[in-house]
Amino acid sequence: MGTAISEHPDHPTAQWSGRWIVQRKRRNPGDLDGDGQLDLVLKWDPSNSKDSASSGKSDDCIIDGYKMDGTRLWRIDLGVNIRAGAHDTQMSVYDFDGDGKAELAVKTGPGTKDGKGNYLKKGPAAGADNTQDLRGTRGMTWADRSG
């Protein structure tokens, strides 16, 4: 699982794991594996995450699915083209299709890796160039194609 999680000294409402931070409001419950028990989805923002009003690039945002006993079910890396920040990387966890397992709804882009570590390859992601860095000079994707 990597570095142990502990209270971050500069952010009393957050947990810290080396380069990434998860704030208490970034935890969503849902039954991820259909066993009838709630699991947790945690969004890990990098320490250099940005708000929409701020310029600058961020490191990748990571989303993990965990059992309540701490077992990690999967890890999603949103990649360089999804800027990490409170207003840029929201997520919803719900059983959208009614199959008894909660799904994760989140913005993705070229370079996003699924819970098995593979680049997305279905729908709009099919044929995407996952090596592209589409961020402009302000650190945002698509909107400011000037840089």
Side-chain angles (χ1 to χ4, degrees), residues 21-106:
I21 192 168
V22 64
Q23 295 181 345
R24 297 203 198 296
K25 60 186 173 187
R26 307 285 195 287
R27 301 173 186 182
N28 293 30
D31 183 0
L32 300 175
D33 56 7
D35 66 358
Q37 303 294 314
L38 284 178
D39 305 306
L40 284 177
V41 177
L42 303 179
K43 182 177 87 119
W44 297 93
D45 279 330
S47 56
N48 66 349
S49 67
K50 307 288 182 197
D51 187 82
S52 297
S54 303
S55 294
K57 297 179 180 181
S58 72
D59 290 330
D60 296 4
C61 181
I62 304 293
I63 300 175
D64 286 336
Y66 286 99
K67 301 289 294 169
M68 288 296 187
D69 68 3
T71 304
R72 189 170 72 200
L73 299 169
W74 43 258
R75 167 166 282 179
I76 294 171
D77 180 346
L78 293 180
V80 298
N81 292 308
I82 303 298
R83 194 165 90 149
H87 298 100
D88 294 305
T89 48
Q90 302 90 10
M91 63 180 183
S92 295
V93 177
Y94 185 75
D95 184 6
F96 293 104
D97 62 7
D99 69 351
K101 296 179 184 178
E103 289 81 37
L104 169 68
V106 66

